[in-house]
Structures are given as structure tokens and as C-alpha cells.
Amino acid sequence: MLPHLDASHNLAKWLLRNEQDAQDVVQEAFLRAFKSFGGFHGSNGRAWLLTIVRNTSYTLLKKNRVADLTTPFDEEIHLSDEESVNAATILERSEGAELIREAMDELPAEFREILTLRHQEDLSYKEIADIVQIPPGTVMSRLSRARGTLRKNLGARINRER
């Protein structure tokens, strides 16, 4: 389990948006995993552990009612033809990393989760589907919507700074 500590912390931190809560959730998730390890018969320990971290994070979010966990499809938001911002434009700016972090923080938990698992943890669609417990097609759809919303958030931030 220890090789997956960083990935667990990273996922919890992006979901909860709070360092202390993330540390608490990872500790709780590792305890749960340790207690349940005898029943683990799968082949992908990383996905199994990240599922526990995810579920523990969502339990805390629901308990504290910190964030709205779902985002209804809104045609105006998700299909906006607003100016597209590419990665090169963002990285040209010295505060690019900060812009990305702020734009990610504006996303709902389900979008932060899917982007973190795919782009920071480099998990496959199948692994993400196993962790989030949704079909791979839904992973791809949610990832597309998350990228589009992130792009829109980044575009709005960059345009405000000009």
C-alpha cells in the first residue's frame, strides 16, 4: 500500500480541497484497507486502494455537506463556443500552474476526481471506471466534460487578467 500513498493523498487533496482533511482521509482509508486486506483478491491494488480513498473522501464530503457532488448537464456551460485556450497559452504565463489550480478548484468534485485520476495519476479508462464504479463510456464522457469546463474556466481567468 505504501507505494500508492502519494497517489492516495493527491486524489484526496483534489477532492476535498483541504490539506488537513486529505491527510485524515488517507489515514482513515489506509486503516480501512489494512483491515480489509485479507479479503482483497484482485489484481490491481492501486485501483482498490484509490477506490477506498475515493469512498472515504465522498463520505466526508457528504457528512460535512462541503460541496455539491454532482453537476447537472447544462448546455450553456458545457457546449459554450467561448474562445478556446490551449496548454501553450497557459504555460507561457509564469502563473500558469496557479491558474490551473484555481480553475481546478472551481470544478465540482466529480470533475476534479476524473481529471486527477487520468492526468495526474495516469490511470487508464478501465482503472478509473473500476475506482469510480461507472462504465468506461461514462468515464470518457465525464472526462470530456471536465476538460471542457476546465478549459472554459481557464479561458475566463486568462481573459480577466488581460
Side-chain angles (χ1 to χ4, degrees):
M1 292 189 320
L2 285 179
H4 308 302
L5 180 62
D6 289 339
S8 299
H9 181 263
N10 193 31
L11 176 60
K13 191 168 93 174
W14 278 110
L15 284 175
L16 300 169
R17 295 186 260 182
N18 179 300
E19 180 64 32
Q20 186 61 45
D21 287 345
Q23 290 175 6
D24 291 346
V25 161
V26 169
Q27 183 176 7
E28 175 68 23
F30 269 66
L31 285 172
R32 288 180 183 182
F34 183 73
K35 288 177 184 176
S36 304
F37 194 70
F40 174 66
H41 300 292
S43 60
N44 190 341
R46 183 179 186 192
W48 177 72
L49 181 60
L50 290 176
T51 300
I52 295 171
V53 170
R54 175 191 184 270
N55 291 341
T56 306
S57 296
Y58 275 99
T59 298
L60 181 65
L61 285 171
K62 287 176 185 175
K63 178 181 170 187
N64 294 333
R65 301 185 196 282
V66 173
D68 180 18
L69 302 179
T70 60
T71 303
F73 183 78
D74 182 343
E75 193 169 327
E76 188 175 311
I77 292 172
H78 296 107
L79 297 178
S80 174
D81 250 359
E82 207 168 287
E83 177 185 346
S84 174
V85 177
N86 61 30
T89 304
I90 296 164
L91 295 176
E92 286 174 7
R93 305 178 63 89
S94 62
E95 67 276 1
E98 182 66 19
L99 281 173
I100 292 171
R101 189 193 59 73
E102 290 172 357
M104 283 279 290
D105 280 346
E106 292 176 1
L107 296 175
E110 66 182 2
F111 286 177
R112 290 191 314 272
E113 168 186 67
I114 207 94
L115 288 168
T116 299
L117 292 173
R118 180 68 182 139
H119 295 293
Q120 292 181 355
E121 300 307 324
D122 201 31
L123 296 175
S124 69
Y125 295 135
K126 169 103 174 71
E127 290 171 317
I128 295 169
D130 290 343
I131 291 168
V132 182
Q133 299 172 346
I134 58 176
T138 304
V139 169
M140 290 184 272
S141 172
R142 191 173 292 172
L143 185 58
S144 176
R145 289 183 17 216
R147 287 173 179 157
T149 304
L150 180 62
R151 186 178 305 114
K152 181 180 181 227
N153 290 353
L154 285 169
R157 286 186 168 284
I158 289 172
N159 289 335
R160 271 187 264 149
E161 290 186 10
R162 285 185 182 166

